Amino acid sequence: MGAGNGRNCDALAAMEGEGQAVRDGAEVDRETGPAVPPIPSSDLTVDISLPFDQMKPRIIDLCKDLFKKWSSLDESSFSIETISGGITNLLLKVSVREESGDNFILTVRLYGPNTDLVIDRKREMQALPHLSAAGFGAELLGIFGNGMVQSFINARTLSPSDMGDCKIAKKIARHLRKFHQVAIPGSREPQLWNDIFKFLNEAVTIKFDDSGKQARYESISFQEIQAEINELKDLTDLLNAPVVFAHNDLLSGNLMLNDKEGKLYFIDFEYGSYSYRGYDIGNHFNEYAGLDCDYSLYPDKDAQYHFFKNYLEPEKPLEVPDKDLEAIFVETNTYRLASHIYWALWALIQAKASPIDFDYLCYFFRRYNEYKKQKEACFSLAQNCLLRSSSH
């Protein structure tokens, strides 16, 4: 949608290219994850509501505290500018002129209020160092009381229409395969349904001060939504979809491309967790619709198969067996329904908690209505597949 954290990012950086699965030669252990160097940390916090002039010296103090080699630099050695505004995440570009005369550029991300309602920061911080060490996202350089410091690189953020370009879709599919192969230490239990039920429990308690919003909210049947979730979970459980560490938010704003180098980057892993392969892909396909929710842009079967072939066998995409293509097609187009419910409930929480000027209630209805529109076809697809499997 567009205003959670990763979901309204303008330009955040990333390190390493499409073809490099690990950074600096670090070996990835599929059981324990990549070797992770210690990340500098600071107890300092920076108030996101401060005027920029008052925030600037605090950012400088933070950089000096995190990176001791800069502790003696004069304030004039630091140049700070805003990358993107907003209350949820404030992104700052910091340029540091070192004593050697070299310039070092990094990104400081400040968390905004209420993000803990929709983002598990503990889970995010557990995964980030390992994703960074494996060459994904912006390199994590430091953490502090209410944010993080990451590397910066110039690349353009993709548009929804870019994602449908066959060459870019091929890059995304191959990059996603590598992403799904990263091991994050800890429990590998999929978190999708836990998160959806958490959102549901939060959504049912909302009360709006605005009478118009409250009236729209009261038209929602949470008993119906609960029943839909249970029915969908029961069906998807039968698919035995592979569990991977999923990005869970691969909309265009979290994909960046350096056109000159031809390198693709995934950014912003706030919603990342162990989840189902088909959910991550189905969620990505839903995002072809963009913020306007134009679901006529959802990729057709040929476009999906192009993506699947490059995801399953990047070295020999034309040799993927038909049965494998059908299996991932069914899996993806069943879990696409879960994506609609997830972001619909997320939007309800944001409608109450977020200060961003956006009609989140309208977004809820758009996502939930699309779920209901697609339910029959998606359920039939999965049920027919399961019937064929049982007959064999």
Side-chain angles (χ1 to χ4, degrees):
M1 195 287 313
N5 269 314
R7 297 183 75 77
N8 71 336
C9 180
D10 289 333
L12 191 69
M15 293 291 288
E16 308 308 333
E18 180 189 10
Q20 188 171 348
V22 292
R23 178 177 283 114
D24 295 332
E27 291 296 327
V28 177
D29 186 313
R30 297 298 290 278
E31 293 302 316
T32 63
V36 177
I39 304 296
S41 63
S42 170
D43 293 329
L44 294 180
T45 60
V46 181
D47 186 348
I48 195 172
S49 67
L50 287 174
F52 185 72
D53 288 347
Q54 294 179 35
M55 188 184 294
K56 188 174 179 179
R58 288 169 170 78
I59 295 294
I60 294 173
D61 289 343
L62 171 67
C63 291
K64 289 184 175 185
D65 191 48
L66 277 172
F67 309 109
K68 304 306 180 187
K69 64 177 181 176
W70 296 340
S71 59
S72 61
L73 291 179
D74 186 80
E75 284 197 8
S76 62
S77 299
F78 295 83
S79 173
I80 303 171
E81 61 185 275
T82 300
I83 298 175
S84 72
I87 310 290
T88 49
N89 262 355
L90 179 61
L91 299 181
L92 303 171
K93 177 183 177 182
V94 180
S95 302
V96 185
R97 188 176 67 255
E98 299 181 318
E99 290 177 345
S100 64
D102 294 334
N103 279 329
F104 191 91
I105 303 175
L106 49 79
T107 300
V108 175
R109 175 189 294 185
L110 302 174
Y111 304 145
N114 304 320
T115 56
D116 58 314
L117 295 175
V118 291
I119 295 170
D120 186 333
R121 291 294 180 195
K122 182 179 178 182
R123 190 164 75 192
E124 179 192 11
M125 292 312 301
Q126 181 182 18
L128 261 177
H130 298 277
L131 292 170
S132 178
F136 289 96
E139 185 176 3
L140 182 62
L141 302 177
I143 55 176
F144 57 97
N146 65 325
M148 65 179 72
V149 179
Q150 295 173 289
S151 60
F152 178 86
I153 196 171
N154 288 314
R156 71 178 179 93
T157 303
L158 295 188
S159 66
S161 60
D162 286 324
M163 298 193 300
D165 180 284
C166 62
K167 291 181 180 178
I168 295 177
K170 175 180 173 180
K171 286 180 180 289
I172 295 171
R174 295 182 175 198
H175 210 55
L176 186 59
R177 176 184 174 86
K178 292 173 186 173
F179 188 89
H180 284 171
Q181 290 173 332
V182 176
I184 305 298
S187 171
R188 299 192 185 185
E189 285 297 311
Q191 297 301 306
L192 173 64
W193 300 109
N194 292 340
D195 290 345
I196 285 177
F197 284 118
K198 174 186 171 185
F199 285 3
L200 178 63
N201 290 336
E202 187 69 34
V204 299
T205 65
I206 292 172
K207 284 186 170 58
F208 292 99
D209 298 329
D210 182 281
S211 59
K213 285 185 177 181
Q214 185 65 23
R216 292 169 73 193
Y217 170 78
E218 289 175 359
S219 72
I220 299 166
S221 170
F222 288 104
Q223 186 175 3
E224 175 188 291
I225 293 174
Q226 172 91 57
E228 295 291 347
I229 293 170
N230 291 337
E231 187 181 10
L232 179 59
K233 182 180 184 301
D234 288 344
L235 178 63
T236 56
D237 284 349
L238 298 175
L239 297 177
N240 295 316
V243 174
V244 297
F245 190 84
H247 186 287
N248 294 325
D249 193 23
L250 276 180
L251 77 170
S252 61
N254 286 339
L255 296 163
M256 300 183 73
L257 182 65
N258 183 313
D259 291 293
K260 185 176 181 180
E261 298 176 8
K263 290 182 180 179
L264 177 76
Y265 309 99
F266 290 175
I267 63 171
D268 287 3
F269 309 121
E270 287 105 332
Y271 296 94
S273 70
Y274 274 98
S275 191
Y276 304 96
R277 175 185 69 178
Y279 176 81
D280 212 13
I281 299 174
N283 183 73
H284 172 63
F285 287 169
N286 278 338
E287 295 296 351
Y288 279 44
L291 304 187
D292 296 330
C293 296
D294 180 1
Y295 291 106
S296 68
L297 300 175
Y298 188 85
D300 62 21
K301 191 171 184 177
D302 287 344
Q304 290 189 47
Y305 270 38
H306 170 70
F307 188 99
F308 298 146
K309 288 172 183 177
N310 283 284
Y311 174 89
L312 293 171
E313 292 286 354
E315 301 305 320
K316 41 186 179 180
L318 298 180
E319 297 180 22
V320 180
D322 288 343
K323 64 179 180 59
D324 293 348
L325 289 170
E326 183 185 7
I328 196 171
F329 177 77
V330 172
E331 179 190 319
T332 295
N333 287 280
T334 310
Y335 275 105
R336 71 185 278 199
L337 295 175
S339 164
H340 286 308
I341 289 180
Y342 181 101
W343 293 111
L345 292 172
W346 171 90
L348 282 182
I349 299 168
Q350 291 291 80
K352 176 63 178 178
S354 175
I356 299 293
D357 182 18
F358 184 85
D359 193 344
Y360 291 101
L361 276 177
C362 179
Y363 191 74
F364 162 83
F365 287 108
R366 285 180 173 179
R367 294 302 298 252
Y368 189 54
N369 287 340
E370 184 65 15
Y371 164 84
K372 290 190 285 188
K373 180 180 177 181
Q374 298 298 334
K375 177 187 174 182
E376 183 179 354
C378 293
F379 266 62
S380 294
L381 181 70
Q383 289 163 345
N384 289 337
C385 176
L386 291 166
L387 278 173
R388 289 194 299 274
S389 295
S390 62
S391 65
H392 290 161

